[in-house]
Amino acid sequence: MKIILLGPPGAGKGTQAKLISDEYSIPHISTGDIFRKNISEKTPLGIEAKGYMDNGQLVPDDVTIRIVEDRLSMDDCKIGFLLDGFPRTTKQAEALDSFLNSNGQKIDTALLIDVPREFILERMTGRRVCPTCGASYHIKFNPSKNEGKCDACGSSLIQRKDDTEETVKERLDVYDNQTQPLIQYFDNQNKLSRVDGTGDIKEVFQDISNVLGAV
Ligand code: ADP
Ligand code: AMP
């Protein structure tokens, strides 16, 4: 299965991606996670990406496309993959199409997790993440068992720097201007599927399983 997850920041893509990747045994490829790992390791890519991310802007297309093509070229992606947070621009979507075409592959579906704007701010400002293993929680909707500590590895949870109210608003504008047009892009290719992302995590996953079962 080759899946793209679409949706605004805070829609629940990362949360559902983890569940889908476990269920279908396919790698979860999050460009945001790749950038954050590079930032914590202070690589040249991380140093370049940090300025854009902290301000809620997109990392330039050429850099982002290159890291995704490198990742998709790895052996574990032969059986399928789940892209979370990529593509985010029409240029990225076109580059992905031509990369897959040249390898005789195609996307099975671009799955939109539909969440209206009024839900987003609370989801993002309440998000807490584990800096060690990347697990993600929400102070109200998906709390860890021990407050402030990761269930999986026990590390202290942190708030992402780009999850402050001001940066979230910027990221939503970037989404509206640059990423939202991809909904039409994949619809034109008859690749778009949608789920309502306003239910709880289990309900959304059930809907996603139903949609993927029919693809
Ligand atoms: P994205 O990857 O799309 O930015 P996340 O998966 O990180 O979004 O989810 C954003 C925040 O909302 C997280 O704190 C997560 O725990 C929480 N969340 C995810 N799905 C739901 C849901 N269905 N209902 C309520 N909160 C959710
Ligand atoms: P995410 O973890 O998906 O919320 O992404 C966090 C940040 O990483 C975004 O706000 C961007 O700055 C950057 N980023 C992630 N994916 C992309 C992408 N496909 N194109 C450009 N920038 C990206």
Side-chain angles (χ1 to χ4, degrees):
M1 200 65 118
K2 300 184 180 71
I3 306 165
I4 292 170
L5 279 188
L6 287 177
K13 299 183 298 297
T15 303
Q16 296 298 331
K18 166 104 190 52
L19 300 171
I20 299 166
S21 112
D22 288 349
E23 176 79 16
Y24 287 85
S25 304
I26 48 175
H28 167 201
I29 301 170
S30 155
T31 37
D33 285 351
I34 295 172
F35 290 137
R36 279 184 288 277
K37 184 164 188 286
N38 278 273
I39 289 173
S40 74
E41 291 170 355
K42 297 193 168 59
T43 67
L45 170 64
I47 290 161
E48 180 177 2
K50 187 175 181 338
Y52 297 101
M53 291 173 74
D54 284 352
N55 291 316
Q57 298 295 319
L58 296 184
V59 178
D61 282 333
D62 53 348
V63 178
T64 308
I65 289 166
R66 199 180 64 236
I67 62 157
V68 172
E69 290 185 351
D70 286 351
R71 181 65 188 86
L72 291 178
S73 302
M74 292 182 183
D75 275 352
D76 63 338
C77 292
K78 288 204 174 100
I79 49 157
F81 51 79
L82 174 61
L83 285 169
D84 161 13
F86 183 94
R88 259 177 156 102
T89 64
T90 304
K91 196 168 165 206
Q92 292 179 13
E94 288 169 351
L96 177 65
D97 274 346
S98 69
F99 175 81
L100 292 176
N101 264 335
S102 66
N103 290 297
Q105 297 181 328
K106 62 181 173 54
I107 288 296
D108 294 298
T109 191
L111 177 64
L112 171 66
I113 304 181
D114 213 352
V115 177
R117 210 172 168 125
E118 60 265 29
F119 286 74
I120 299 286
L121 192 62
E122 188 181 14
R123 283 199 185 179
M124 289 176 81
T125 53
R127 172 162 54 192
R128 298 292 180 271
V129 295
C130 174
T132 308
C133 74
S136 170
Y137 302 88
H138 191 282
I139 50 173
K140 181 168 160 193
F141 303 125
N142 184 26
S144 59
K145 292 190 184 82
N146 271 336
E147 199 186 325
K149 300 282 177 202
C150 179
D151 292 345
C153 72
S155 299
S156 292
L157 301 178
I158 57 162
Q159 182 172 29
R160 271 170 52 174
K161 225 178 165 179
D162 58 350
D163 276 347
T164 56
E165 188 165 341
E166 194 191 341
T167 313
V168 166
K169 286 186 174 145
E170 178 63 30
R171 292 166 68 197
L172 287 170
D173 286 345
V174 167
Y175 175 79
D176 287 344
N177 293 326
Q178 302 197 54
T179 308
Q180 218 262 355
L182 295 183
I183 297 172
Q184 190 63 52
Y185 178 94
F186 288 110
D187 202 17
N188 291 344
Q189 295 186 356
N190 290 319
K191 288 279 165 66
L192 187 73
S193 43
R194 286 174 189 261
V195 292
D196 175 1
T198 62
D200 68 26
I201 293 171
K202 276 191 181 152
E203 287 166 343
V204 177
F205 183 59
Q206 186 56 56
D207 288 351
I208 289 177
S209 303
N210 293 343
V211 166
L212 294 180
V215 167

